[in-house]
Amino acid sequence: MNGLFKSAAALALALAAASGWAQAYPAKPIRVVVPFPAGGPVDQTARALGARMSASLGQSIVIDNKGGAGGLLGADAVAKSAADGYTLLFSSAGALAIVPHIAPSMPYNPQKDLVAVTQALKVPAVLVVAADSRFKTFADLKAGATGDASKVNYASAGSGTTPHLQAELLKREARLNINHIPYRGAAPALTDLMGGQVDMMMVDIPVALPFIQSGKLRALAVTSAARIPVLKDVPTVGELGMPKVEAYNWYGMLAPARTPAEVIDKMYGAVGAALRSPDLKQQFEQQGVQVVGSKPAEFGRFISAESERWGSLAKAVGAKLD
């Protein structure tokens, strides 16, 4: 009886300690690793969310840029961090759903070594050509990129990137004869597109939008299910008869595996509250970005489905990690 009492007391103390720890979290600044260089769209989004999360959590959110290998280096650093809620990952699709299928070797398993917190956003792509391109509509492009005589080239931000695979999806579904020209990042690719060195490109809407609005690029299609308000005159791929080309890049928060459920729930709530802030919602809408805020389990299932979708396509087209 005495042993039973001691066991019960120990369990009560453990539960009380766990409860107290969860309530105290966070007790120090939280590091959010962005596995890409500073200044890009993932980094900018993480900083915007972090500022609002910091206010609601009462602790600083420190953004740590660890770029390299398509996001692999930063994601690996988080996967190997302590599962205490003080190191998180904010990543786009590449490091979680594409890189694992095209890297020569993987130091981490995104399905086992990381746990989903929430998908924050989904980012449609836009098919763009130069403003003075001979392709005025998608029908023009398809006519010019069909048949053996086609000499149409498309740019991407690099082999195995989301824009590369989105273009390959378009190529397959529309039966286009187009040649891939990989670049090291979207910026040099867009520069050559506007300069006429390449003919077309699939790119995240926020990246291309300033050039579309300034008249340097022409948008031919968006990959979202419905039209984008800031590009309301641009048809969707579904309207053009290619519903299977509907595809998104996406950004989400993750933590090391075995992070306590209480911490995951708290971070899920903090990201969700930030996403609901009126100024941030307006900012995302103006960029053509769609707010998600999915629950942890839902985001985990989504990552698995995306990994299967993009992994099979990456292998089929021979994508390689630059």
Side-chain angles (χ1 to χ4, degrees):
M1 189 70 179
N2 188 42
L4 181 61
F5 174 78
K6 288 181 178 179
S7 298
L11 178 60
L13 286 171
L15 290 173
S19 176
W21 181 85
Q23 290 174 1
Y25 174 84
K28 61 181 181 179
I30 298 167
R31 181 171 68 112
V32 176
V33 174
V34 173
F36 304 102
V42 183
D43 174 68
Q44 292 175 3
T45 303
R47 292 178 188 277
L49 288 173
R52 288 154 184 83
M53 291 169 62
S54 177
S56 65
L57 293 170
Q59 289 291 342
S60 298
I61 303 292
V62 179
I63 305 300
D64 183 4
N65 297 95
K66 287 186 176 295
L72 185 151
L73 298 183
D76 181 50
V78 175
K80 290 179 169 59
S81 295
D84 57 7
Y86 291 101
T87 302
L88 303 172
L89 174 70
F90 190 79
S91 180
S92 58
L96 303 169
I98 300 174
V99 167
H101 301 280
I102 63 175
S105 61
M106 281 294 294
Y108 67 97
N109 184 326
Q111 306 293 321
K112 296 180 179 179
D113 299 328
L114 294 166
V115 60
V117 176
T118 185
Q119 180 190 353
L121 306 169
K122 60 180 182 179
V123 186
V126 57
L127 171 61
V128 287
V129 297
D132 59 356
S133 170
R134 67 187 188 278
F135 305 129
K136 308 302 181 186
T137 65
F138 179 75
D140 293 339
L141 174 62
K142 186 171 182 179
T146 302
D148 295 337
S150 172
K151 294 182 180 180
V152 175
N153 295 322
Y154 78 90
S156 82
S159 179
T161 58
T162 307
H164 171 210
L165 297 184
Q166 288 171 330
E168 286 293 333
L169 192 60
L170 175 71
K171 176 180 179 178
R172 184 179 70 187
E173 294 301 316
R175 299 181 181 180
L176 304 179
N177 180 13
I178 52 179
N179 183 51
H180 180 211
I181 309 294
Y183 286 77
R184 289 192 175 276
L190 286 168
T191 297
D192 275 7
L193 177 62
M194 290 182 283
Q197 280 73 46
V198 288
D199 299 295
M200 55 171 277
M201 183 177 179
M202 297 285 275
V203 63
D204 289 358
I205 287 178
V207 177
L209 190 59
F211 302 106
I212 297 170
Q213 292 173 331
S214 67
K216 295 179 180 179
L217 291 175
R218 178 184 297 114
L220 302 186
V222 292
T223 64
S224 51
R227 291 203 180 195
I228 302 298
V230 291
L231 295 173
K232 58 181 174 38
D233 296 326
V234 181
T236 68
V237 287
E239 290 177 84
L240 295 171
M242 302 174 293
K244 292 183 179 179
V245 184
E246 181 186 333
Y248 303 85
N249 196 353
W250 43 265
Y251 306 161
M253 189 81 78
L254 299 97
R258 297 175 297 280
T259 297
E262 297 88 347
V263 172
I264 299 298
D265 289 342
K266 193 154 192 175
M267 293 310 301
Y268 163 67
V271 177
L275 291 171
R276 289 190 296 273
S277 60
D279 61 329
L280 207 52
K281 286 178 67 176
Q282 182 180 28
Q283 176 183 322
F284 290 142
E285 183 177 328
Q286 291 172 345
Q287 295 174 338
V289 174
Q290 300 172 17
V291 172
V292 181
S294 57
K295 294 181 179 179
E298 183 182 353
F299 185 31
R301 291 191 295 270
F302 177 77
I303 293 172
S304 296
E306 286 284 279
S307 180
E308 182 176 343
R309 180 189 193 191
W310 294 122
S312 60
L313 181 59
K315 290 177 181 177
V317 302
K320 302 292 183 183
L321 184 64
D322 290 337

